[in-house]
Amino acid sequence: MESSWEGFLDIIGLNQKVRQKAELKTLIEFPLAEPKKDLLISLFDFITSIYGTEKCTILWWYEPSCIIGKNIINPYIKIISKDDLKYLQGVWERIGGDYILFLPEEFNTKVDTNDEEEFIGVCLTQYSQLLLKTPDGNEVLYLRLNE
């Protein structure tokens, strides 16, 4: 496990039993946070190997919006494949300091939390593995739950 990200597992809201099964590692490094085509192709190769399909759902957040007096964090969701590398590069560059979550294509959008980190924890529990672009854009992390 990468020591620089070790504390991340503590802030995504996993209970102690699940936390003990969680593993986190840096999958791909993106020097200077540049989403270069060859690195993104490697990312999609890994997506295919873990989700069994060339498509995945990406999720990202912007600043919370105020709706009826509540702060609601609205994730943006899109299904993409290797054919959408330019789209992914644009999102990566545009959102800067935010996460991009890579989930299975059949992702269930009903997650009952408004906190980004807790949302990631719920998705990890639901799918047993996921990929996550770090807010600095320098790495994609691979999170999984061991049996």
Side-chain angles (χ1 to χ4, degrees):
M1 180 182 305
E2 297 288 323
S3 60
S4 63
W5 287 101
E6 189 171 331
F8 184 73
L9 290 173
D10 294 328
I11 65 170
I12 61 174
L14 303 177
N15 66 42
Q16 187 60 29
K17 184 178 178 181
V18 173
R19 171 65 178 89
Q20 289 176 346
K21 296 190 295 183
E23 178 185 343
L24 178 151
K25 69 178 184 176
T26 298
L27 180 66
I28 301 174
E29 293 185 9
F30 289 80
L32 304 174
E34 291 182 45
K36 292 187 177 184
K37 183 177 180 178
D38 61 327
L39 294 173
L40 293 177
I41 288 171
S42 295
L43 175 61
F44 271 98
D45 290 342
F46 195 76
I47 286 167
T48 301
S49 73
I50 66 169
Y51 295 140
T53 178
E54 292 184 6
K55 291 183 179 181
C56 71
T57 298
I58 61 170
L59 231 113
W60 68 98
W61 292 265
Y62 285 131
E63 291 298 314
S65 58
C66 189
I67 300 175
I68 312 173
K70 292 184 177 181
N71 283 336
I72 305 293
I73 297 175
N74 293 316
Y76 291 82
I77 301 169
K78 181 160 178 70
I79 295 173
I80 62 170
S81 68
K82 274 187 188 177
D83 294 336
D84 301 305
L85 289 182
K86 288 214 180 286
Y87 181 85
L88 179 57
Q89 285 173 316
V91 170
W92 191 296
E93 292 168 349
R94 195 171 58 246
I95 67 166
D98 291 309
Y99 299 108
I100 298 177
L101 194 54
F102 298 85
L103 294 165
E105 180 181 4
E106 68 282 350
F107 168 70
N108 177 1
T109 59
K110 305 290 185 223
V111 176
D112 190 23
T113 182
N114 290 331
D115 180 81
E116 292 173 27
E117 283 84 8
E118 285 181 18
F119 188 100
I120 293 166
V122 169
C123 290
L124 178 59
T125 303
Q126 211 169 21
Y127 297 104
S128 300
Q129 55 188 349
L130 59 84
L131 300 168
L132 180 71
K133 177 198 86 65
T134 59
D136 63 13
N138 289 320
E139 297 167 310
V140 168
L141 305 176
Y142 176 51
L143 290 83
R144 73 178 207 158
L145 297 177
N146 297 314
E147 300 274 331

